Amino acid sequence: MGSRFLIAAILSTACTLAPSQLIGREWAVQRAQLFARFMNSDEGHMSILLNFSGPVTNVRRANGRWHVEFEKCSVGINDRTGNAEYYHCQYPNNFEYQALSSPNMGLSSAACLDIARRVFREAGFEDELTLYSREDFMPAEGIYGLQVWFRRTRAGIEFDTAFCPTLTFHPLSGQVLDYSMTPDPILPLGISPRVTLYQANSVVLTALGRFVPNGVLSVFERHQLRLRFWYPGLGKTVFEDLPFDWERYFREWRTVLAYDVRYEDESYVMPPGRGPALWHFVVDAISGRLLVVEEPDPGFGAGPIRRRPFGWDLGPGPIAVTMGGKTHELSHADVLKVQKGSPSEPGVPVLLQRARLILNALYYPQANLLSVGEGKLRSFGRPDEELKKALLALAAKE
């Protein structure tokens, strides 16, 4: 318990420093030693297979941190707050992997979260953590490693994923081999939004029609529309309307109270290993203005993104039809794929939503056809009778 009181004393002193004052070398080393000792003990509910702590070999200060190196690990201490922002081990080759019949036989997600919360508190943070994503990577058949990303919230508001911790675990024992955080962000002064989630969603849906016409999208499950401390990063923007100095906010780790959401573009075929094709929309939670739209980015050197036509598989469940700002909801409706279509009339923009799927389509009333995509990727579907009635009723009001 003595180490806990010492950590509290160090952090308490750090928090009372004036902005121009920095934590000294001696305090930083002492803080790093205590954190390394914790990471190599069973206090965090970990089973320790190898002890990576030891004598200090090097200390330097750079980029707002004290970097304290031990014989087999290193710890980064924020030079203003005293928080531990990273811990890296120099473990033997393949120590991070374990032979398992399946990843379910290793460390559970609940155990990962429990350990991460203890590590996060010991590092000096008080925010709440929940599981965001885990990757049971498999470098060879039956051999697994484990890396987990966590959501971070304060007062019910999520932090941008740029400020959320990542931990690498030994997949059986739970020993933490790597922990990393970006520097703590500067949060906005006010955290009470003036724009509701419903209003923000309306702004996003309008933007979808503008920037992704004739598109087929689905809400990315891990990044649904919600209030966040958003950090203006380095995405591939197609629209930007920022009422602040972007470079300054990026450089100083400043955040904005905003609603943001990511949609997966079902027509994109991303290169192997690049992850899903995501559109990103950000709405200011105070003014309600659209701040940023980012398009899917295949990554450096990946070449042009390939696309595929939509197969008109909407899945089961109720469907919402929006045309001209008016919405009609149906408990049962479907669209059948049509091999060819050649409507001679102009199409009417319509938004179809079923579960997480969103279609920005065109409806041709006389031919009773829907279309999405353009050129060779344009595909047609024919609404069933229930959907046809709703579409014609809305089109008549246009």
Side-chain angles (χ1 to χ4, degrees):
M1 287 298 289
S3 66
R4 292 297 182 94
F5 286 118
L6 189 53
I7 290 174
I10 293 173
L11 293 181
S12 176
T13 304
C15 290
T16 61
L17 293 174
S20 60
Q21 291 180 295
L22 299 172
I23 289 174
R25 184 182 190 277
E26 182 179 350
W27 282 358
V29 169
Q30 194 174 36
R31 177 75 175 96
Q33 287 174 322
L34 292 171
F35 189 69
R37 190 183 306 162
F38 170 84
M39 296 295 278
N40 288 277
S41 73
D42 59 3
E43 288 185 66
H45 284 195
M46 301 174 264
S47 298
I48 304 302
L49 301 181
L50 290 177
N51 192 316
F52 295 100
S53 60
V56 175
T57 59
N58 187 40
V59 181
R60 60 188 176 88
R61 183 174 158 267
N63 301 320
R65 287 172 172 165
W66 283 101
H67 303 269
V68 183
E69 298 177 9
F70 300 85
E71 281 188 342
K72 295 181 180 179
C73 72
S74 57
V75 176
I77 302 296
N78 187 290
D79 62 9
R80 293 184 183 277
T81 66
N83 291 342
E85 293 182 341
Y86 73 75
Y87 167 81
H88 306 314
C89 291
Q90 300 172 20
Y91 43 80
N93 288 339
N94 299 321
F95 179 72
E96 74 271 34
Y97 303 117
Q98 189 70 30
L100 299 170
S101 57
S102 90
N104 295 331
M105 302 300 293
L107 198 66
S108 69
S109 294
C112 291
L113 180 57
D114 178 59
I115 294 169
R117 284 172 171 168
R118 294 171 187 274
V119 169
F120 203 53
R121 284 197 297 269
E122 193 72 18
F125 299 94
E126 297 181 355
D127 302 313
E128 181 59 35
L129 290 186
T130 55
L131 190 74
Y132 177 71
S133 173
R134 70 176 277 164
E135 181 182 0
D136 297 277
F137 47 92
M138 187 172 64
E141 188 66 32
I143 306 296
Y144 292 92
L146 177 58
Q147 190 171 42
V148 185
W149 292 261
F150 297 89
R151 282 194 183 97
R152 178 182 173 190
T153 60
R154 180 180 299 176
I157 303 173
E158 282 190 15
F159 282 72
D160 192 287
T161 52
F163 304 107
C164 296
T166 305
L167 279 75
T168 300
F169 297 88
H170 185 274
L172 270 182
S173 70
Q175 183 170 1
V176 177
L177 307 179
D178 192 279
Y179 149 77
S180 58
M181 282 279 298
T182 53
D184 239 10
I186 298 175
L187 301 182
L189 295 177
I191 60 172
S192 297
R194 297 176 187 171
V195 174
T196 65
L197 186 70
Y198 177 81
Q199 291 169 325
N201 188 59
S202 297
V203 174
V204 170
L205 292 180
T206 300
L208 282 174
R210 176 182 172 189
F211 295 101
V212 200
N214 300 318
V216 182
L217 306 173
S218 60
V219 179
F220 190 48
E221 188 173 359
R222 295 203 304 266
H223 205 113
Q224 300 180 40
L225 183 67
R226 55 172 62 101
L227 192 63
R228 289 184 176 89
F229 297 120
W230 173 69
Y231 175 61
L234 296 171
K236 188 177 179 183
T237 58
V238 295
F239 172 83
E240 189 174 275
D241 183 19
L242 302 178
F244 53 81
D245 183 348
W246 175 88
E247 289 188 0
R248 179 189 172 209
Y249 270 58
F250 182 75
R251 183 179 63 251
E252 297 179 358
W253 305 97
R254 291 182 177 271
T255 60
V256 178
L257 189 67
Y259 293 96
D260 76 326
V261 61
R262 295 183 189 271
Y263 292 95
E264 183 173 356
D265 196 316
E266 301 285 344
S267 67
Y268 278 50
V269 182
M270 294 291 276
R274 297 287 184 176
L278 299 177
W279 288 86
H280 186 201
F281 296 82
V282 183
V283 178
D284 191 298
I286 304 300
S287 67
R289 70 196 288 177
L290 182 67
L291 296 179
V292 163
V293 178
E294 296 173 355
E295 65 178 339
D297 187 359
F300 180 75
I305 298 177
R306 294 189 297 114
R307 294 175 177 267
R308 58 186 167 218
F310 181 54
W312 289 100
D313 180 12
L314 303 184
I319 188 168
V321 186
T322 302
M323 188 184 295
K326 301 178 180 63
T327 300
H328 193 96
E329 295 187 4
L330 300 169
S331 58
H332 301 286
D334 213 343
V335 180
L336 300 177
K337 183 177 180 180
V338 176
Q339 293 301 323
K340 292 183 180 181
S342 54
S344 58
E345 59 189 304
V348 182
V350 60
L351 184 73
L352 303 177
Q353 293 178 270
R354 170 169 276 170
R356 295 190 300 114
L357 191 66
I358 296 178
L359 276 74
N360 266 319
L362 291 174
Y363 179 58
Y364 305 91
Q366 295 178 18
N368 187 35
L369 288 175
L370 288 162
S371 77
V372 293
E374 298 175 331
K376 294 181 180 179
L377 295 175
R378 192 181 187 192
S379 62
F380 290 89
R382 190 177 303 281
D384 65 11
E385 284 301 314
E386 288 298 315
L387 185 54
K388 176 184 175 181
K389 291 178 184 177
L391 288 166
L392 289 175
L394 290 170
K397 298 176 183 178
E398 284 291 285

